[in-house]
Amino acid sequence: MADAIEIVFHGRNAASFVEGFDALLEVEATIRRVPDEPATEADAEALRRADVIIGNRFQATQPRPERLRLYHVSATGTDGIALDALPPGATVCNCYGHEPAMAEYVMAALLSHQVKLFDADRRLRKGEWPYRAGAAANIHGEIGGRTLGLLGFGHIGRAVAARAKAFGMTIHVANRSPVPVAGDVDASHGLDDLSAFYAAADFIVVSLPLLPETRGLVDAATFDQMRPDAVLMNVGRGPVVDEAALYEALAHRRIGGAVIDTWYRYPEAEGDVTAPSRFDFAALDNVVMTPHMSAWTDGTIRRRQATMADNINRHFTGRACNNVVRPAG
């Protein structure tokens, strides 16, 4: 009988996937949790001896995992992984499974902007009736018939488009690679055709990854091209949207508002109180701020567990893995 493989869940993010993981495995395995920074020599030795590491942060300062055969990122982005610090013989894979959660977040934000449930509740508790049917001044909006611009049309953009189309929205897409006008897509733009894209949209959802060519792509000129009542949502990476330009556009009401889930500064440790930007977005009344929460749901956990366990099963029974970021060299 083959020896059990050693799986290390490395870091706080990875630890979220441990419960119930063993039930998904078809191979014998021992499972250990190691904190982001190994606290003991036993932690360090666990990393050195691991056959599989699951995590989303690994730097050259970590103990080198000499036996490693599979590094599975517990998220989509690999920018936190120093690939050169991993043995060349290790396969590196990542996960998706977050797109249904993020699409629901976007739809909740869209609906909240038009259907004033929370404001109506707050004010009716004080005896006020601002949205009562029957008076023209009390009308609130609908998302049906509005134009949604999707800046990025990967897993997230496609999931958002499917749900928004079901609400009767018109879908415009801007993407690095061409997207055909078909199915949920009513109009398609390249990243060299963004002025027409921005001008058409009532709402713009940014889901692009952070790359040299996307950093600061949404800049001051972008906000000049958007409709004055348009709303920007960033669920991709914070720095895709220029920090200062976004703040100025909101502070001077050049656009209608923003919903921001991905930011410019993050806490360094659990429990830290950290402002998400060097600008005081919290003082603005036309922005909704959330703490990078859109993808983090019970469904995302289940889907990513299934992906990671399936790839472990595949790798150690001689089958090809899915979502390979770097094949074994």
Side-chain angles (χ1 to χ4, degrees), residues 107 111 143-145 162-169:
M107 296 310 299
L111 289 165
I143 64 171
R163 288 155 178 80
K165 201 66 179 174
F167 277 85
M169 300 189 80

Side-chain angles (χ1 to χ4, degrees), residues 12 57 263-276 291-292:
R12 182 171 62 91
R57 292 284 183 274
W263 289 95
Y264 307 95
R265 297 195 310 202
Y266 285 85
E268 294 185 2
E270 184 72 11
D272 284 357
V273 176
T274 304
H292 205 148

Side-chain angles (χ1 to χ4, degrees), residues 56-182:
N56 70 348
R57 292 284 183 274
F58 196 91
Q59 300 303 314
T61 54
Q62 300 284 357
R64 185 172 173 82
E66 300 292 351
R67 291 178 24 172
L68 192 69
R69 296 174 62 186
L70 175 64
Y71 188 100
H72 213 302
V73 186
S74 55
T76 303
T78 59
D79 47 303
I81 312 299
L83 295 177
D84 290 347
L86 302 176
T91 300
V92 180
C93 299
N94 69 347
C95 287
Y96 293 92
H98 57 300
E99 55 273 20
M102 296 183 73
E104 289 189 10
Y105 172 98
V106 169
M107 296 310 299
L110 290 169
L111 289 165
S112 294
H113 187 270
Q114 297 295 87
V115 184
K116 310 295 185 179
L117 287 180
F118 300 109
D119 187 55
D121 172 80
R122 178 181 61 83
R123 295 173 68 179
L124 187 56
R125 291 172 186 272
K126 299 188 293 185
E128 300 174 10
W129 295 68
Y131 303 104
R132 184 185 179 189
N138 291 347
I139 292 172
H140 64 79
E142 301 177 352
I143 64 171
R146 304 279 182 163
T147 297
L148 178 64
L150 299 175
L151 185 54
F153 200 63
H155 289 76
I156 300 165
R158 292 193 294 271
V160 171
R163 288 155 178 80
K165 201 66 179 174
F167 277 85
M169 300 189 80
T170 298
I171 310 299
H172 286 224
V173 168
N175 199 55
R176 289 176 295 164
S177 55
V179 176
V181 176

Side-chain angles (χ1 to χ4, degrees), residues 4-6 47-52 64-70 87:
I5 63 172
E6 298 190 21
L47 287 173
R48 293 188 192 103
R49 292 179 51 82
D51 298 296
V52 178
R64 185 172 173 82
E66 300 292 351
R67 291 178 24 172
L68 192 69
R69 296 174 62 186
L70 175 64

Side-chain angles (χ1 to χ4, degrees), residues 24-35:
L24 302 174
L25 295 175
E26 300 168 0
V27 294
E28 290 294 322
T30 60
I31 293 175
R32 181 184 176 104
R33 306 185 200 195
V34 170

Side-chain angles (χ1 to χ4, degrees), residues 8 17 65 108 128-129 134-135 188 218 272 300 329:
V8 171
F17 298 93
E128 300 174 10
W129 295 68
S188 181
V218 180
D272 284 357
T300 296

Side-chain angles (χ1 to χ4, degrees), residues 174-320:
N175 199 55
R176 289 176 295 164
S177 55
V179 176
V181 176
D184 296 327
V185 179
D186 297 296
S188 181
H189 308 257
L191 295 189
D192 57 349
D193 182 28
L194 289 177
S195 59
F197 168 77
Y198 291 134
D202 297 294
F203 303 93
I204 294 171
V205 176
V206 182
S207 63
L208 289 171
L210 183 60
L211 303 168
E213 60 268 31
T214 63
R215 181 179 291 273
L217 179 68
V218 180
D219 57 11
T222 298
F223 297 115
D224 290 339
Q225 295 164 358
M226 287 172 59
R227 296 179 180 182
D229 59 349
V231 175
L232 181 85
M233 301 183 193
N234 192 4
V235 295
R237 285 289 185 263
V240 172
V241 181
D242 182 270
E243 184 178 10
L246 175 59
Y247 179 80
E248 290 297 319
L250 291 168
H252 295 285
R253 299 191 179 273
R254 295 195 183 100
I255 61 172
V259 179
I260 312 173
D261 189 50
T262 53
W263 289 95
Y264 307 95
R265 297 195 310 202
Y266 285 85
E268 294 185 2
E270 184 72 11
D272 284 357
V273 176
T274 304
S277 169
R278 59 194 171 98
F279 296 101
D280 191 8
F281 282 92
L284 304 177
D285 63 3
N286 56 350
V287 59
V288 175
M289 304 169 60
T290 59
H292 205 148
M293 62 180 277
S294 56
W296 201 239
T297 67
D298 51 1
T300 296
I301 296 292
R302 291 194 303 271
R303 289 183 289 270
R304 288 184 173 177
Q305 280 183 318
T307 295
M308 293 187 290
D310 180 58
N311 271 339
I312 291 172
N313 294 333
R314 285 173 171 274
H315 189 87
F316 289 93
T317 56
R319 293 173 287 158

